[in-house]
Amino acid sequence: MRNVKGALSIAGTDPSGGAGIQADLKTFQELEVYGMSVITSVVAQNTLGVKGIRHLEASFIKEQLESVTNDMPVHAVKTGMIANSEMIEAIAEHLRPLTLPLCVDPVMIAQSGDALVDHKALQAMRDELLPLATIVTPNIPEAAALTGRSLESEEDRYDAAKRIVHDFGSSSVVIKGGHLDGEATDLFYDGDTFKTFTSPRFDTLHTHGTGCTYAAAITAELAKGKSLNEAVSVAKTFISAAIEHTLEIGHGQGPTNHWAYQNTKRKGEYV
Ligand SMILES: Nc1ncnc2c1ncn2[C@@H]1O[C@H](COP(=O)(O)OP(=O)(O)O)[C@@H](O)[C@H]1O
Ligand SMILES: Cc1ncc(COP(=O)(O)O)c(N)n1
């Protein structure tokens, strides 16, 4: 078998292609990692919002997981939208013995404001999934929901990062700064040191799937054996290019540009 690195996304779908499984597979491919996917929920959504959701049974999610991990080269895993505690428990039970690098993107609501998971899932996320996470990637509202505290100040963000690592057991966390004002600054903490990753804030409405894409880029880099610091650094560059060179498609909050990173790297500038 050739030295192929593989990444598995366990998430919901987005038929408009900008978020969920679809965004993850595009991101894995752009970072030259073989992408695989297990679907948790089928979502009818686009750049204007969520119209409907059909959840798959936890037992069938387990069957999908077994199909992939019993046969294919999985070097890192990402979890995205997981709608209820039964799914979370089944996924955690399968992942626990595999001890693979795991990026947990604690998806709760879509950019449109539509809820994607039920409230019981939050406790299961804390109890079952966060202790397995190599890194967890909440945005500001998700970090507030996980810690049960509001994140108004910079100090609140530092405290939330410490709580997620020291109380919930994740090896590291990056609290994403998309919901802040000013520069787009993400706060990384690995239980020992803090590090910020900053980019200019691009003035655009089209940020559908930014969190998914960012977490998928981290997962792809972990699959290649990169360190957490290197993985987050590449993901930041990847998502910044994807937002800056927006495609301006869809009638609402459009998707990011998943090929902007490679295009810019190959040509020195985006062409
Ligand atoms: N307008 C923007 N300009 C530049 N970077 C952004 C912008 N919005 C979000 N980001 C970056 O995109 C990544 C995803 O963050 P965020 O949008 O907060 O996640 P989510 O989609 O989960 O809400 C982070 O690195 C964040 O800093
Ligand atoms: C299946 C699925 N997963 C996640 C999101 C959140 O996307 P965003 O990154 O815009 O918050 C979404 N809209 N749909």
Side-chain angles (χ1 to χ4, degrees), residues 248-259:
E248 297 185 328
I249 53 178
H251 298 95
Q253 289 182 317
T256 65
N257 177 341
H258 292 90
W259 63 79

Side-chain angles (χ1 to χ4, degrees), residues 12-14 19-20 43 45 81 107 109-111 116 207-212:
T13 65
D14 171 10
V43 184
Q45 64 172 312
M81 173 187 173
V107 171
I109 57 170
Q111 291 278 10
L116 292 168
T207 57
H208 175 66
T210 48
C212 305

Side-chain angles (χ1 to χ4, degrees), residues 230-259:
E230 290 165 329
V232 175
S233 181
V234 168
K236 186 60 175 175
T237 307
F238 190 97
I239 193 59
S240 301
I243 296 169
E244 182 180 8
H245 302 292
T246 181
L247 304 169
E248 297 185 328
I249 53 178
H251 298 95
Q253 289 182 317
T256 65
N257 177 341
H258 292 90
W259 63 79

Side-chain angles (χ1 to χ4, degrees), residues 111 139 176 178-179 184 186 200-202 210-211 214 236 239 243:
Q111 291 278 10
N139 58 28
K176 300 171 289 188
H179 292 243
D186 308 332
R201 179 170 299 277
F202 301 108
T210 48
Y214 181 66
K236 186 60 175 175
I239 193 59
I243 296 169

